[in-house]
Amino acid sequence: MSDSVPSLENGIESRPLHEFTEQAYLDYAMYVILDRALPHIVDGLKPVQRRIIYAMSELGLKASSKYKKSARTVGDVLGKFHPHGDSACYEAMVLLAQPFSYRYPLIDGQGNWGSADDPKSFAAMRYTEARLTPFSQLLLDELGQGTVDWQPNFDGTLKEPCLLPARLPILLLNGTSGIAVGMATDIPPHNLREVSQACLHLLNHPEASIGDLCQYLPAPDYPTPAEIVTGRDECLKMYQTGKGSIKMRALYQQQADEIIITALPHQVSSNKIIVQIAAQMQAKKLPLVTDIRDESDHENPVRLVLSLKSKRVDSEALMSHLFATTDLEHSYRVNMNVIGADGRPQVKNLKLLLQEWLDARLNIIEQRLRYRLEQVEQRLHLLEGLLTAFHNIDEVIRIIRLKDEPKPLLKARFNLSDEQSEAILSLRLRQLAKLEQGKLEGERDVLSSEQSELQTHLATPESLKQKLQGEIEKDTETFGDERRSPLVTRGAAQALQQEQLQNKEAITVILSAKGWVRAGKGHEIDAEKLNYRSGDQFRAATKGYNHQSAVFFDNNGRAYTVASHKLPSARSLGEPLAGLLSPPNGAQFHHVISAEPKQAYLLSTEVGFGFVTQFTQLQSKNKAGKQVLNKAEDVRCRAPLAIEGKIEQWQLAVISDSGYLLLFPLSELPQMAKGKGVKLMNLKAEEKIQLCALVSGDKDLQMQSGKRQFSLKVSDLEHYQGKRAQRGKALPRGFRNISALVEID
């Protein structure tokens, strides 16, 4: 800012434009920060809220009085203290009256004041009526007792309080939110008993840490029974820094094939939840839910019913998905930015906030006691003069009767002050009775005792603390209630994959020689006997479930992933797989598998290289697939071999087309995500792998060669056992073209 002095010419101030605009914007910013958007730490109110409460008290709208039209209150607020828009003022008034918005409402409304489902559905102010709640007296009871400073209203015709003398930290109890210039505030509401306990602990233990305070004040408490799922450690960090976030999660219960939602997070409407869930249903992204109904009424303010496809639906997994994708779990920003006792905005941690309020409250109590002490002393001073008059009543009457100016004579004769002399002269004849003297002496004794008590309190800081503690305990007993938002430890919400949202149904995925694909329900389908297009025929098939993915392999060793539920029905002739994917030119699909993510497979090539991998490592979101098996261009990939159970329990039987058999432990193969693999068998030039099979090693083997069969006993298998990459042993002559190998008991 420039320190240049504005020049005056012909009585007109002249200033550079950049200086004027900078100062004007700064003035506006400070006005918004201090006089509109941010609450004060002492009473927890913004100016418009403070003026509404004060104006209602001036109208006599106490909790015991009759309701009055809201328009009357708004008119008084605008006309006397807050010259702004009536709609904005009325909205601020409505917020103070909504029990679903404020933890401890300050206004008792009659009529339509909105609903939790639609907070802005309140009626116009000409229809609604209002009065203050008993809780609001915590802000008003001490207003006329010298506890706060007063300031002129906007036109200087009236006085209004700069602050209200709150008997409890309303800022934490009801919370608030607001956006100023360059800063904002978001303070969550809390439970009165918990806040009081934290205040009392800090009052008696000024050295207490924030962790100690969080033993009494563990987390916010919203005006809804929905769960707070933010961990205690996160809450502690939030209170230590004054910034963070709080997560709330809806309550639900399952009854047969329905999920009933009974409570929603703070300020989340049922209509919004219905729209969000219905949008997923219409987009066919939530097939497990067949219908959603709103059965809310006066007895059940929140009752949303989700009809499930069947009783077998995993309700916990489904709700976890909805928590992650809808406002059934909602996060609230916390930014404890508040105008402090020094009049400056600052983000405060929990201890600083409570300590400043306690200091301010002690100051208010001291001011209240001093104000009362002054009143007591003034009254005692008058009583001394009146009692002096009663003790000398005859002479006082004579002076008053005979003298034109009795006041100076009374002052001189009895050593009285102006106030005492005036009080004597103001006495009525009926007050000269002897009974009145006894009343005055009794009043003097009572006030003298009170004076002594007040002086003791004011002389001892510890006494003030005890008085504050007693007041907090009394107000807590009067207005305290149980926590509404339970603190619950829950796992993080996770959105389900589309496959997981499907009902588990058995399917068979069929691949034709020309790359057409389809899926039929059940595992009993004979894929080779299905109809195919002219010139096409069966190539491969796999049995799986509709919630799983299908992985296709081409002749280049690439793997492609398609969600099984997206495949065309087997009632048709299918669709070309190339239309669902983006394979390279010339690629031909040869194999298909479908399994759970951790299912192990053996991938190998005809030239004798291979490795073990898991199904999840074969999957890809890329339509162009992923290269899994590295090989030469003219080398053929063998069909993936599923490995059931533990790898250590199996041996791998490898048979070459020249009739050699090698048995070795499957555990000798590496587990890889992709690559060429390692050598399975030592093959000669032009020799290929004809067959790979998993065997346990403790059963006889039966081999099929054309129409002929022969068996190898368990005792004979040792002859063929070896280590990976060895040559193996030749099978008997005439049994070298092996087409099948199975274990027999």
Side-chain angles (χ1 to χ4, degrees):
M1 297 294 294
S2 174
D3 293 331
S4 60
V5 179
S7 61
L8 290 174
E9 185 176 348
N10 297 326
I12 299 176
E13 179 181 334
S14 177
R15 298 179 62 185
L17 181 60
H18 72 277
E19 289 185 8
F20 175 78
T21 53
E22 185 176 356
Q23 184 62 46
Y25 187 77
L26 180 61
D27 293 342
Y28 165 75
M30 294 306 296
Y31 166 74
V32 173
I33 292 171
L34 299 178
D35 293 321
R36 182 179 295 183
L38 298 188
H40 199 283
I41 196 170
V42 172
D43 57 12
L45 300 176
K46 301 177 186 179
V48 63
Q49 297 170 329
R50 187 178 302 118
R51 288 163 177 165
I52 290 171
I53 298 300
Y54 176 65
M56 292 183 72
S57 70
E58 289 295 288
L59 285 171
L61 297 178
K62 295 183 179 180
S64 57
S65 65
K66 292 183 179 180
Y67 293 95
K68 280 189 180 180
K69 288 289 185 182
S70 301
R72 173 73 182 276
T73 298
V74 173
D76 262 38
V77 173
L78 300 186
K80 294 180 179 179
F81 310 112
H82 197 73
H84 296 277
D86 59 340
S87 59
C89 180
Y90 182 48
E91 282 194 25
M93 181 178 175
V94 168
L95 187 67
L96 296 173
Q98 292 178 335
F100 48 84
S101 295
Y102 256 43
R103 183 65 177 81
Y104 300 95
L106 300 175
I107 293 177
D108 177 14
Q110 182 172 265
N112 178 14
W113 288 80
S115 64
D117 200 40
D118 187 5
K120 297 209 171 185
S121 62
F122 50 84
M125 58 183 173
R126 60 182 178 273
Y127 300 118
T128 60
E129 298 178 337
R131 64 185 178 187
L132 293 172
T133 62
F135 184 81
S136 66
Q137 293 307 309
L138 293 176
L139 291 162
L140 299 167
D141 279 346
E142 301 173 356
L143 190 57
Q145 300 178 24
T147 53
V148 295
D149 296 329
W150 295 73
Q151 64 186 8
N153 68 339
F154 64 90
D155 61 1
T157 58
L158 297 170
K159 294 284 186 179
E160 62 174 321
C162 300
L163 297 170
L164 297 181
R167 293 170 59 91
L168 289 173
I170 306 295
L171 179 67
L172 281 178
L173 299 183
N174 278 327
T176 191
S177 63
I179 300 176
V181 178
M183 62 180 65
T185 184
D186 287 284
I187 301 175
H190 293 78
N191 181 268
L192 191 151
R193 290 178 180 171
E194 295 176 352
V195 171
S196 297
Q197 289 174 354
C199 285
L200 294 177
H201 183 76
L202 184 59
L203 183 66
N204 296 317
H205 304 86
E207 73 289 348
S209 66
I210 295 178
D212 296 333
L213 297 177
C214 286
Q215 297 296 320
Y216 302 94
L217 185 62
D221 184 26
Y222 292 88
T224 170
E227 298 175 340
I228 294 178
V229 296
T230 302
R232 288 181 179 266
D233 291 341
E234 292 183 55
C235 290
L236 174 60
K237 185 177 179 181
M238 175 193 75
Y239 287 128
Q240 287 173 335
T241 61
K243 292 186 176 182
S245 63
I246 294 292
K247 285 185 180 179
M248 293 196 77
R249 187 175 288 185
L251 295 182
Y252 71 94
Q253 56 189 16
Q254 185 171 7
Q255 296 179 1
D257 59 347
E258 292 183 336
I259 292 177
I260 302 173
I261 299 171
T262 57
L264 295 176
H266 182 50
Q267 293 181 333
V268 173
S269 69
S270 300
N271 288 338
K272 187 174 183 180
I273 296 299
I274 291 174
V275 169
Q276 290 175 336
I277 295 178
Q280 293 191 39
M281 295 172 62
Q282 291 175 357
K284 298 183 178 180
K285 293 183 178 180
L286 202 61
L288 299 180
V289 179
T290 59
D291 187 28
I292 180 170
R293 304 187 306 276
D294 187 357
E295 297 182 356
S296 305
D297 53 29
H298 291 293
E299 294 184 0
N300 302 286
V302 176
R303 184 180 171 86
L304 302 181
V305 181
L306 302 179
S307 298
L308 305 181
K309 198 168 186 179
S310 72
K311 295 180 181 179
R312 298 190 303 273
V313 173
D314 187 345
S315 60
E316 290 189 8
L318 174 61
M319 290 304 297
S320 179
H321 170 78
L322 293 177
F323 289 144
T325 57
T326 70
D327 280 347
L328 286 174
E329 180 177 293
H330 196 74
S331 182
Y332 302 89
R333 189 170 70 101
V334 176
N335 179 23
M336 295 197 288
N337 189 11
V338 60
I339 299 174
D342 58 358
R344 297 182 179 181
Q346 181 187 3
V347 177
K348 301 181 186 296
N349 60 39
L350 178 62
K351 181 176 181 179
L352 183 58
L353 197 151
L354 291 178
Q355 189 62 63
E356 282 199 26
W357 182 83
L358 287 172
D359 292 341
R361 181 61 191 163
L362 285 171
N363 184 54
I364 289 175
I365 292 176
E366 184 178 358
Q367 289 177 326
R368 186 189 76 207
L369 296 181
R370 291 192 184 281
Y371 179 80
R372 177 57 183 167
L373 181 60
E374 290 178 3
Q375 288 185 315
V376 168
E377 289 176 343
Q378 289 177 3
R379 181 59 180 167
L380 284 172
H381 181 64
L382 294 179
L383 289 176
E384 290 298 331
L386 292 174
L387 288 173
T388 299
F390 275 102
H391 293 151
N392 302 276
I393 188 66
D394 294 335
E395 187 174 357
V396 168
I397 293 175
R398 182 180 59 80
I399 293 174
I400 294 173
R401 289 178 58 193
L402 299 178
K403 301 298 180 180
D404 295 333
E405 295 292 336
K407 185 175 180 180
L409 291 175
L410 289 174
K411 289 174 62 178
R413 174 66 182 84
F414 301 108
N415 194 22
L416 301 175
S417 65
D418 282 345
E419 294 81 5
Q420 290 173 321
S421 302
E422 195 64 41
I424 293 172
L425 293 173
S426 300
L427 284 174
R428 298 179 182 178
L429 288 176
R430 63 186 300 177
Q431 292 177 303
L432 297 178
K434 187 170 183 61
L435 182 62
E436 290 297 326
Q437 181 179 346
K439 288 182 179 180
L440 292 177
E441 290 175 345
E443 183 182 357
R444 181 190 60 184
D445 295 339
V446 171
L447 290 179
S448 296
S449 177
E450 183 180 356
Q451 180 187 32
S452 177
E453 183 181 351
L454 291 171
Q455 289 172 341
T456 301
H457 283 310
L458 290 171
T460 311
E462 193 62 31
S463 180
L464 289 177
K465 287 186 177 182
Q466 292 177 358
K467 192 167 188 63
L468 173 56
Q469 179 172 340
E471 292 177 357
I472 291 177
E473 290 173 347
K474 180 181 177 181
D475 292 333
T476 301
E477 184 178 351
T478 303
F479 298 104
D481 58 0
E482 297 296 328
R483 167 174 280 275
R484 295 187 190 175
S485 303
L487 300 177
V488 183
T489 301
R490 303 287 188 195
Q494 290 185 338
L496 297 175
Q497 299 295 326
Q498 191 62 28
E499 298 82 10
Q500 297 172 290
L501 290 169
Q502 300 293 327
N503 254 357
K504 188 176 181 179
E505 295 179 354
I507 61 170
T508 301
V509 181
I510 303 112
L511 176 65
S512 75
K514 291 190 176 181
W516 287 65
V517 66
R518 47 186 157 164
K521 292 184 178 180
H523 288 167
E524 298 78 21
I525 296 176
D526 188 347
E528 296 187 23
K529 293 183 179 180
L530 294 177
N531 292 328
Y532 293 89
R533 283 177 170 74
S534 177
D536 200 0
Q537 62 183 350
F538 170 77
R539 168 61 64 85
T542 185
K543 296 177 180 179
Y545 294 89
N546 61 342
H547 70 279
Q548 298 172 338
S549 296
V551 173
F552 298 86
F553 294 87
D554 68 7
N555 58 322
N556 298 315
R558 295 183 72 83
Y560 306 81
T561 305
V562 178
S564 296
H565 68 273
K566 293 184 178 180
L567 296 174
S569 171
R571 296 177 181 176
S572 65
L573 296 178
E575 295 180 7
L577 192 54
L580 301 175
L581 302 170
S582 301
N585 293 333
Q588 297 179 358
F589 297 100
H590 287 175
H591 310 292
V592 58
I593 58 175
S594 181
E596 294 298 326
K598 293 185 178 181
Q599 173 66 55
Y601 282 91
L602 169 65
L603 300 185
S604 60
T605 60
E606 62 179 0
V607 295
F609 287 85
F611 60 90
V612 175
T613 190
Q614 286 188 342
F615 183 79
T616 185
Q617 294 175 322
L618 302 174
Q619 294 178 282
S620 170
K621 294 182 179 180
N622 192 347
K623 285 189 175 183
K626 61 189 292 189
Q627 189 69 37
V628 175
L629 194 56
N630 297 335
K631 64 180 189 62
E633 185 175 350
D634 58 345
V635 173
R636 186 170 63 89
C637 298
R638 295 186 53 77
L641 181 61
I643 303 171
E644 302 297 336
K646 296 182 179 180
I647 293 176
E648 293 76 12
Q649 73 186 54
W650 296 109
Q651 288 189 332
L652 182 63
V654 185
I655 302 176
S656 69
D657 56 4
S658 60
Y660 278 78
L661 169 62
L662 174 65
L663 290 172
F664 65 88
L666 183 62
S667 59
E668 292 186 8
L669 291 182
Q671 297 189 37
M672 305 167 59
K674 61 180 180 178
K676 180 180 179 180
V678 296
K679 186 180 290 189
L680 305 179
M681 188 179 191
N682 188 10
L683 301 176
K684 292 184 178 181
E686 305 301 326
E687 193 177 9
K688 307 286 192 229
I689 296 294
Q690 185 167 353
L691 183 67
C692 285
L694 296 176
V695 297
S696 61
D698 56 0
K699 295 181 181 180
D700 296 345
L701 295 183
Q702 180 175 298
M703 299 186 182
Q704 183 81 29
S705 178
K707 294 183 179 181
R708 301 169 64 190
Q709 295 180 349
F710 79 99
S711 299
L712 289 175
K713 300 294 184 181
V714 175
S715 58
D716 298 330
L717 295 181
E718 293 184 4
H719 177 68
Y720 298 96
Q721 288 179 345
K723 294 185 177 181
R724 179 189 62 79
Q726 290 183 343
R727 175 68 176 158
K729 302 294 182 179
L731 294 168
R733 290 182 179 274
F735 292 94
R736 298 195 173 183
N737 186 20
I738 306 300
S739 59
L741 184 154
V742 294
E743 288 186 310
I744 57 175
D745 294 327

